[in-house]
């Protein structure tokens, strides 16, 4: 399945490992792709950057075309070179004024702004879907907002990452962990499956509401009943704060489940002084998440 | 009042009343106790009208769905006259007018007349809906001013020219370097592709990417720079022109604001009436009968009153629920009864019905005849009242509640006492309750009901004494002879007690004994040797 087919009719969160991972660039690129099959909405989580952006007078801006749907504040919409018709408002007020769902009427650059209250953002996404204003939704999901992004539900993810020889080992470890997390089974196991038959009978299950860290693992799980435990569950993948080694060791003893499926459709990788073959080799044969190499490299290694 | 609400377990039911509009929700959230009989009758009348309408068209009809669809889409909008309304505020006003207008088209004339629903703001709506914009959306369209239209046309032409120039640049770069930018703003290009970087700088801006590649962007030509600068200047002028239009629109809105607020007020009444009617249909509620305030001799009557939290708990448990029938012959009542005999549920049912009635709702009963009270008080234990107690003992807390309520007893008040003073010694408790009874018997404005185990309290002619009928011992013995009830679990034991308990109020003459406690202990599984000996001791 092509990337376009993956993001079409879906809500996709684009997230990266920290600043400078190429998230905004990829977002703009995916927006261009998504438009080919119909109107696209683009939203972001949170409004914490507002003060910094105002101070710098240089908010991050995304190029929009006529027909694109955005969630932003009225002042940002007015300051944009594009013009927006207001389709709806988003409940609550942020420092930068009222939030709107707007439809671009001509091309221009616009800064996105989200809301601190997830329920309001959830409502905005539901409205965009219900009213069929957009065929695809792209969500700028900063890594420090991952838990909130996950709680929006029904999302798929694309990670962005920049790799060179200096950070290769660390990034590979992170990617391998992501690969392992993307394979975690969903709780409860689907009816009729072998796992389901085993697990529903098993009473010895721990459901963790909070994060699964090394110390939590030590305290809650290992302390007395790991050998008797038949399943361990966490809300979603963002709650797992274990190293790959710890995760693998845990799964040898007890299956770990997630309640919200983690649909990782790809990792957009920008490599510097490194060939794709070298990276593939470093990741090893068990790595199954599709890698999208250097979308802006020429000759074009098509993302589409 | 908080204790009364908690005692009646009213919160979860209150939340089931779901107005469709934000103004309806605001009203419902802020609503306290309604103490005006005229206001309540007005609300009941509106509910009746809404109920008739819904029953006529059907709760599941397309028409009702369309009506609620438009109600749900009515947004909040500014309530004050302003010099300038921003685009969001104008959007809200337009969306309100659009949905309000369509809503009125769906309603029959009779209902519109009843709720005084009118629409005379065609002119304002047309003004906000100018040009080719979406029906519910808002945008300062070109049609508002020639100046704005000209500026936007200039921007459009500018964009067209810019696109042409970009395409020409792209074609040139394609022929020179075999680079195709298309919609991309930059490319990562192997150094070898560019040849001499100094020469490439004439057409491209270069940044190092890695040891073998550059990050390249097409350079803007002089004409492109001029166009970009020109566009920026026109955008500034465009914003100024838009603000001028917003100021003009603000004048039109301000002139019409009183009408808009009146629409909102009337549509809120309709919304609330439909929501109350919806609730009434879902829970089989009926209109309460309010006695005239002057009829102080009139007393509460309940025909098949249902305490919905208990009714639902019974459904969940799979036990039968017995609705309450009660006729209080005096404004002061004492209610005796055995443990688990239904005294508390009786008081809670009354509290629940009274709250429904004084919140303007219909009530879960076949008939509920009551008065309108200025105050509702509950005096007794409150679940989870730890923080409210402020270090007082159970008895101290009740006394503090009573003391706080005392000043209200000069005005129409419903006061419910559930096993008042049960935690102190019975002699003093009986004396205290008797003194309060005597006090209330001279205050016809207060309807007071005491549930108690204390059989020795004062018998006064003005007071009505009732008791819960309790266990049907004869039926119980017959049943036990043919079953193994003694071996069942707690839920089964509760079901058993429920099935042999008559939750019925009967007059209490003070002579018959009410002694189900030992039997109930036995039914709940206490060892037979204990309950038999207790029974022997009790019989003397």
């Amino acid at each position: 399945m092509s990337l376009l087919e993956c993001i079409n009719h879906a809500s996709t969160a684009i997230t990266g490992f920290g600043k400078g991972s190429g998230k905004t660039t990829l977002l703009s690129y995916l927006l261009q792709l998504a438009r080919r099959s119909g109107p696209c909405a683009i939203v972001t989580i949170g409004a914490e950057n507002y003060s910094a952006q105002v101070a710098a007078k240089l908010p991050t801006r995304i190029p929009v075309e006529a027909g694109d749907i955005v969630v932003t504040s009225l002042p940002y919409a007015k300051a944009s070179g594009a013009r927006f018709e207001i389709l709806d408002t988003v409940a609550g007020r942020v420092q930068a004024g009222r939030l709107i769902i707007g439809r671009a009427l001509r091309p221009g650059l616009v800064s996105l702004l989200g809301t601190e209250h997830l329920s309001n953002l959830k409502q905005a996404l539901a409205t965009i879907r219900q009213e069929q204003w957009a065929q695809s939704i792209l969500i700028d999901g900063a890594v420090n907002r991952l838990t909130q992004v996950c709680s929006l539900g029904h999302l798929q993810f694309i990670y962005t990452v920049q790799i060179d020889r200096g950070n290769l080992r660390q990034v590979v470890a992170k990617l391998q962990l992501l690969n392992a997390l993307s394979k975690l089974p969903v709780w409860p196991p689907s009816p009729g499956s072998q796992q389901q038959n085993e697990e529903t009978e098993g009473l010895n299950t721990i459901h963790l509401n909070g994060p699964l860290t090394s110390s939590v693992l030590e305290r809650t799980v290992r302390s007395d009943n790991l050998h008797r435990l038949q399943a361990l569950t966490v809300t979603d993948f963002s709650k797992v704060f274990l190293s790959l080694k710890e995760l693998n060791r845990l799964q040898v003893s007890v299956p770990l489940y997630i309640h919200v499926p983690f649909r990782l459709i790809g990792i957009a990788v920008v490599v510097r002084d490194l060939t794709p073959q070298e990276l593939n080799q470093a990741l090893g044969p068990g790595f199954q998440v599709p890698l999208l190499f250097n979308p802006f490299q020429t000759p074009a290694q098509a993302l589409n | 009042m908080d204790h009364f609400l908690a005692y009646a377990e009213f919160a979860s039911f209150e939340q089931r009343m779901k107005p469709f509009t934000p103004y309806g929700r605001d009203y419902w959230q802020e609503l306290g106790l309604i103490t005006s009989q005229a206001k309540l009758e007005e609300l009941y009348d509106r509910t009746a009208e809404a109920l008739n309408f819904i029953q006529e068209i059907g709760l599941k009809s397309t028409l009702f769905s369309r009506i609620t669809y438009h109600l749900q889409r009515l947004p909040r909008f500014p309530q004050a006259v302003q010099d300038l309304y921003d685009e969001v505020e104008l959007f809200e006003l337009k969306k309100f007018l659009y949905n309000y207008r369509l809503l009125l088209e769906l309603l029959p004339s009779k209902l519109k007349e009843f709720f005084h629903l009118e629409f005379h703001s065609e002119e304002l709506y047309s003004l906000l809906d100018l040009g080719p914009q979406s029906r519910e959306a808002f945008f300062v369209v070109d049609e508002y001013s020639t100046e704005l239209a000209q500026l936007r046309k200039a921007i459009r032409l500018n964009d067209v020219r810019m696109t042409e120039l970009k395409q020409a640049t792209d074609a040139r770069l394609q022929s020179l370097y075999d680079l195709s930018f298309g919609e991309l703003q930059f490319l990562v290009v192997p150094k070898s592709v560019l040849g001499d970087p100094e020469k490439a700088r004439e057409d491209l801006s270069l940044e190092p990417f890695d040891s073998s590649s550059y990050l390249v962007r097409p350079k803007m030509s002089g004409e492109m720079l001029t166009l970009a600068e020109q566009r920026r200047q026109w955008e500034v002028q465009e914003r100024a022109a838009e603000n001028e239009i917003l100021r003009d629109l603000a004048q039109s809105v301000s002139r019409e604001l009183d009408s808009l607020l009146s629409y909102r007020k009337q549509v809120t009444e309709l919304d609330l009436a439909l929501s109350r009617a919806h609730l009434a249909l879902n829970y089989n509620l009926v209109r309460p009968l309010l006695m005239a305030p002057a009829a102080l001799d009139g007393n509460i009557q309940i025909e098949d009153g249902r305490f919905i939290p208990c009714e639902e708990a019974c459904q969940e448990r799979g036990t039968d629920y017995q609705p309450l029938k009660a006729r209080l012959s005096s404004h002061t009542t004492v209610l005796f009864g055995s443990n688990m005999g239904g005294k508390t549920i009786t008081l809670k049912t009354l509290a629940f019905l009274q709250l429904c009635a004084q919140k303007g709702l219909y009530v879960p009963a076949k008939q509920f005849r009551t008065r309108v009270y200025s105050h509702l008080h509950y005096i007794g234990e409150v679940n989870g009242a730890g923080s409210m107690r402020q270090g007082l003992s159970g008895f101290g807390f009740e006394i503090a509640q009573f003391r706080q309520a005392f000043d209200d007893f000069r005005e129409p008040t419903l006061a419910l006492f559930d096993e008042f003073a049960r935690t102190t010694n019975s002699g003093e408790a009986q004396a205290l309750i008797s003194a309060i009874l005597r006090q209330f018997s001279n205050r016809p404005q207060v309807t007071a009901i005491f549930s108690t185990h204390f059989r020795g309290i004062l018998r006064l002619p003005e007071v009505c004494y009732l008791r819960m009928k309790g266990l049907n011992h004869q039926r119980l013995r017959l049943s036990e002879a043919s079953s193994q009830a003694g071996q069942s679990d707690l839920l089964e034991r509760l079901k058993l007690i429920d099935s042999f308990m008559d939750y019925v109020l009967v007059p209490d003459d003070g002579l018959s004994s009410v002694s189900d406690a030992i039997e109930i202990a036995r039914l709940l599984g206490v060892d037979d040797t204990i309950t038999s000996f207790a029974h022997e001791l009790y019989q003397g």
Side-chain angles (χ1 to χ4, degrees):
Chain A
M1 189 185 278
S2 73
L3 187 61
L4 175 58
E5 284 168 328
C6 280
I7 59 176
N8 194 11
H9 289 291
S11 301
T12 310
I14 292 93
T15 193
F17 294 120
K19 293 252 175 221
S21 66
K23 185 164 55 72
T24 308
T25 310
L26 185 73
L27 201 61
S28 303
Y29 184 69
L30 291 178
L31 192 54
Q32 289 165 15
L33 266 188
R35 277 188 206 118
R36 293 182 194 169
S37 58
C40 183
I42 182 160
V43 301
T44 188
I45 309 264
E48 83 286 8
N49 288 331
Y50 174 71
S51 303
Q53 287 175 348
V54 168
K57 291 188 179 171
L58 195 67
T60 310
R61 297 195 295 173
I62 301 278
V64 291
E65 294 288 333
D68 287 347
I69 304 294
V70 300
V71 172
T72 188
S73 71
L74 179 64
Y76 277 11
K78 289 183 79 163
S80 165
R83 294 283 88 186
F84 296 91
E85 67 172 339
I86 299 173
L87 299 175
D88 209 347
T89 55
V90 180
R93 181 181 278 271
V94 293
Q95 200 182 349
R98 298 282 301 272
L99 287 176
I100 61 158
I101 302 175
R103 175 163 33 219
L105 297 170
R106 72 173 187 223
L109 296 170
V110 66
S111 298
L112 303 177
L113 204 58
T115 161
E116 288 296 329
H117 300 283
L118 245 344
S119 57
N120 295 342
L121 187 65
K122 252 183 178 172
Q123 182 55 50
L125 292 177
T127 304
I128 291 169
R129 288 186 195 116
Q130 274 161 23
E131 302 284 340
Q132 299 182 345
W133 286 328
Q135 194 154 308
S136 322
I137 300 177
L138 298 175
I139 298 158
D140 177 353
V143 73
N144 58 345
R145 296 271 174 187
L146 210 49
T147 300
Q148 289 99 313
V149 175
C150 286
S151 69
L152 290 173
H154 303 295
L155 293 186
Q156 54 187 15
F157 287 81
I158 296 180
Y159 265 74
T160 58
V161 64
Q162 304 237 7
I163 312 179
D164 54 34
R165 292 191 190 281
N167 68 6
L168 182 63
R169 272 184 67 168
Q170 298 96 302
V171 174
V172 163
K174 283 179 180 176
L175 295 183
Q176 284 172 332
L177 179 61
L178 270 185
N179 181 59
L181 292 174
S182 72
K183 291 179 193 166
L184 289 179
V186 177
W187 182 268
S190 55
S193 72
Q194 194 190 345
Q195 281 171 328
Q196 199 254 355
N197 292 334
E198 287 166 6
E199 296 310 330
T200 47
E201 294 304 315
L203 297 173
N204 208 357
T205 300
I206 292 181
H207 299 287
L208 287 176
N209 287 324
L212 173 58
T213 60
S214 313
S215 57
V216 169
L217 194 61
E218 200 62 41
R219 212 172 43 242
T220 318
V221 185
R222 289 202 195 288
S223 53
D224 58 348
N225 56 3
L226 185 61
H227 61 288
R228 287 185 285 120
L229 198 62
Q230 286 168 295
L232 176 66
T233 78
V234 289
T235 317
D236 59 66
F237 81 94
S238 74
K239 297 287 195 310
V240 182
F241 291 89
L242 301 177
S243 67
L244 181 65
K245 207 169 163 186
E246 287 171 316
L247 182 63
N248 286 339
R249 207 183 309 143
L250 169 69
Q251 286 185 298
V252 169
S253 317
V254 56
L256 174 65
Y257 291 88
I258 47 179
H259 290 261
V260 179
F262 176 31
R263 296 178 53 215
L264 180 59
I265 60 168
I267 297 171
V269 188
V270 174
V271 288
R272 284 184 160 89
D273 289 330
L274 202 68
T275 64
Q277 291 74 17
E278 284 173 300
L279 179 60
N280 277 327
Q281 201 172 358
L283 289 169
F287 195 85
Q288 289 174 353
V289 184
L291 292 179
L292 317 160
F293 282 100
N294 289 12
F296 301 97
Q297 190 91 48
T298 185
Q301 301 193 28
L303 250 179
N304 53 358
Chain B
M1 180 68 176
D2 284 350
H3 293 174
F4 196 92
L5 284 164
Y7 181 66
E9 300 173 41
F10 196 65
S12 73
F13 186 70
E14 199 171 23
Q15 284 164 11
R16 297 179 202 183
M17 161 85 177
K18 291 188 189 302
F20 301 100
T21 67
Y23 348 109
R25 288 193 289 275
D26 289 349
Y27 171 90
W28 184 244
Q29 209 166 7
E30 288 158 20
L31 181 67
L33 199 66
I34 302 170
T35 55
S36 153
Q37 183 161 350
K39 176 72 188 165
L40 285 170
E41 296 288 7
E42 194 183 4
L43 294 181
Y44 301 155
D45 287 346
R46 288 182 191 149
T47 308
E49 198 66 25
L51 206 49
N52 284 340
F53 173 64
I54 295 177
Q55 280 167 337
E56 233 168 71
I57 63 167
L59 197 57
K60 299 206 184 301
S61 67
T62 312
L63 179 57
F64 189 67
S65 302
R66 289 175 67 196
I67 288 169
T68 55
Y69 172 83
H70 288 297
L71 280 171
Q72 282 164 345
R73 292 178 85 88
L74 292 173
R76 297 177 203 278
F77 61 80
Q79 297 179 59
V81 168
Q82 294 169 202
D83 292 337
L84 184 74
Y85 295 97
D86 66 28
E87 287 89 338
V88 168
E89 291 168 325
L90 292 173
F91 156 78
E92 290 168 333
L93 287 159
K94 182 184 165 188
K95 189 170 178 180
F96 174 83
L97 288 173
Y98 174 75
N99 284 288
Y100 179 74
R101 213 172 53 127
L102 290 182
L103 173 70
L104 261 56
E105 283 175 15
L106 297 171
L107 298 175
S109 314
K110 192 179 152 221
L111 201 67
K112 281 192 277 193
E113 275 166 35
F114 185 88
F115 285 98
H116 309 292
L117 292 161
E118 294 170 338
F119 183 69
H120 308 293
S121 304
E122 283 292 354
E123 202 179 319
L124 179 62
Y125 176 71
S126 302
L127 190 60
L128 294 175
D129 191 39
L130 210 60
Q133 47 183 316
S134 314
R135 306 310 301 267
E136 283 181 300
F138 179 74
F139 176 56
V140 182
V141 290
D142 299 5
E143 282 74 2
Y144 282 114
S145 93
T146 319
E147 185 199 357
L148 185 67
Q150 282 171 347
L151 281 165
R152 287 189 178 154
K153 187 179 175 190
I155 290 173
R156 275 196 299 278
L157 292 173
N158 182 301
D159 287 352
V160 169
R161 179 64 188 146
M162 187 66 108
T163 305
E164 286 168 1
L165 291 173
K166 276 184 181 166
Q167 283 167 350
T169 305
D170 205 28
R172 181 178 149 74
L173 294 172
Q174 177 90 51
S175 68
L176 283 175
Y177 305 103
D178 197 23
L179 295 179
S180 177
F181 282 87
E183 294 165 329
L184 301 178
Q185 290 173 354
F186 65 86
L187 288 173
V188 173
V189 181
K191 289 179 177 175
S192 57
V193 169
L194 298 179
D196 177 7
E198 281 310 313
K199 177 136 179 54
R201 274 181 211 284
E202 289 171 12
D203 303 295
L204 298 162
S205 73
L206 271 59
E207 290 171 34
F209 181 76
D210 63 14
S211 56
S212 61
S213 309
Y214 288 121
L215 189 151
V216 300
R217 290 186 172 85
K219 264 191 172 167
M220 287 180 100
S221 67
E223 188 183 355
M224 285 164 107
L225 281 171
T226 309
L227 286 173
E229 176 54 23
Q230 185 63 69
R231 193 190 205 259
R232 203 190 60 77
Q233 285 175 16
W234 280 330
E235 283 171 11
V236 173
Q237 290 174 34
E238 182 188 31
R239 280 197 286 277
E242 285 172 352
N243 286 339
E244 198 58 42
I245 293 162
L246 292 179
R247 264 187 287 276
D248 288 348
L249 288 173
Q251 286 182 15
S252 303
V253 169
S254 297
R255 277 196 298 273
E256 200 72 14
L257 196 63
D258 284 346
S259 298
L260 298 175
L261 292 174
S262 158
Y263 303 155
R264 194 177 76 164
K265 181 173 178 292
Q266 294 314 127
V267 85
T268 306
E269 299 298 354
L270 172 74
D271 173 27
L272 290 164
L274 287 172
S275 308
R276 288 191 299 264
H278 200 194
L279 194 73
L281 284 169
N282 282 344
Y283 292 92
N284 196 18
L285 313 180
V286 301
R287 181 175 183 149
L289 303 172
L290 302 180
M291 292 177 274
L296 291 178
D297 55 341
N299 291 304
I300 289 172
Q301 289 177 23
I302 302 169
E303 187 81 34
D304 286 350
R306 285 149 36 230
F307 177 48
I308 286 180
C310 181
E311 188 182 29
E312 289 177 346
C314 285
Q315 269 169 10
E316 233 169 76
R317 260 198 337 235
T319 54
D320 287 339
Y321 173 76
Q322 292 179 31
L324 175 69
K325 189 172 183 173
R327 191 172 285 252
L328 307 184
S329 60
S330 164
H331 60 87
T332 310
T333 303
V334 176
L335 178 58
F336 300 108
S338 57
N339 301 81
M340 300 190 70
K343 296 189 302 295
T344 295
I345 294 297
T346 298
L347 293 196
K348 283 185 176 227
T349 308
L350 171 58
F352 192 86
L353 295 176
Q354 192 66 33
L355 276 170
C356 284
Q358 288 203 244
K359 288 265 188 178
L361 299 176
Y362 278 21
V363 295
K366 247 188 199 160
Q367 194 187 82
F368 179 49
R369 187 167 178 265
T370 188
R371 288 162 55 189
V372 178
Y373 297 99
S374 303
H375 310 282
L376 303 179
H377 284 291
Y378 161 71
I379 291 134
E381 283 285 314
V382 180
N383 283 342
S387 60
M388 295 185 201
R389 282 193 168 185
Q390 298 171 322
L392 292 166
S393 67
F395 177 69
F397 181 59
E398 286 176 346
I399 295 299
Q401 284 176 297
F402 180 69
R403 178 66 199 89
Q404 266 179 345
F406 197 78
D407 288 345
D408 291 342
F409 295 150
R410 291 190 204 99
E411 295 173 9
T413 300
L414 174 65
L416 304 179
F417 295 75
D418 194 356
E419 302 205 23
F420 183 64
R422 68 174 162 185
T423 52
T424 193
N425 79 67
S426 58
E428 283 186 285
Q430 288 183 149
L432 195 55
I433 295 171
S434 299
I436 295 171
L437 271 182
R438 202 177 63 164
Q439 178 78 223
F440 280 140
S441 64
N442 295 321
R443 294 191 184 207
Q445 70 276 21
V446 177
T447 299
I449 306 174
F450 297 77
S451 82
T452 184
H453 284 289
F454 301 129
R455 302 287 293 164
I457 57 174
L458 211 56
R459 292 267 162 177
L460 297 166
E462 304 86 355
V463 175
C464 164
Y465 296 88
L466 300 171
R467 67 178 171 86
M468 304 304 300
K469 202 168 175 187
L471 275 178
N472 187 328
H473 292 265
Q474 198 180 356
R475 214 150 51 86
L476 177 63
R477 273 192 293 276
L478 278 173
S479 163
E480 282 190 325
S482 60
S483 76
Q484 296 292 312
Q487 291 170 15
S488 50
D489 67 9
L490 183 64
L491 184 62
E492 290 304 312
R493 290 175 198 281
L494 287 173
K495 282 185 182 177
L496 190 73
I497 293 171
D498 270 356
S499 61
F500 294 107
M501 191 67 82
D502 282 331
Y503 297 105
V504 174
L505 290 169
V506 292
D508 181 81
D509 54 11
L511 302 173
S512 53
S513 67
V514 181
S515 58
D516 291 338
I518 298 170
E519 194 58 42
I520 286 178
R522 188 179 70 79
L523 288 170
L524 284 173
V526 174
D527 193 276
D528 270 356
T529 53
I530 297 174
T531 52
S532 302
F533 186 56
H535 196 69
E536 278 171 34
L537 287 175
Y538 184 68
Q539 295 293 326

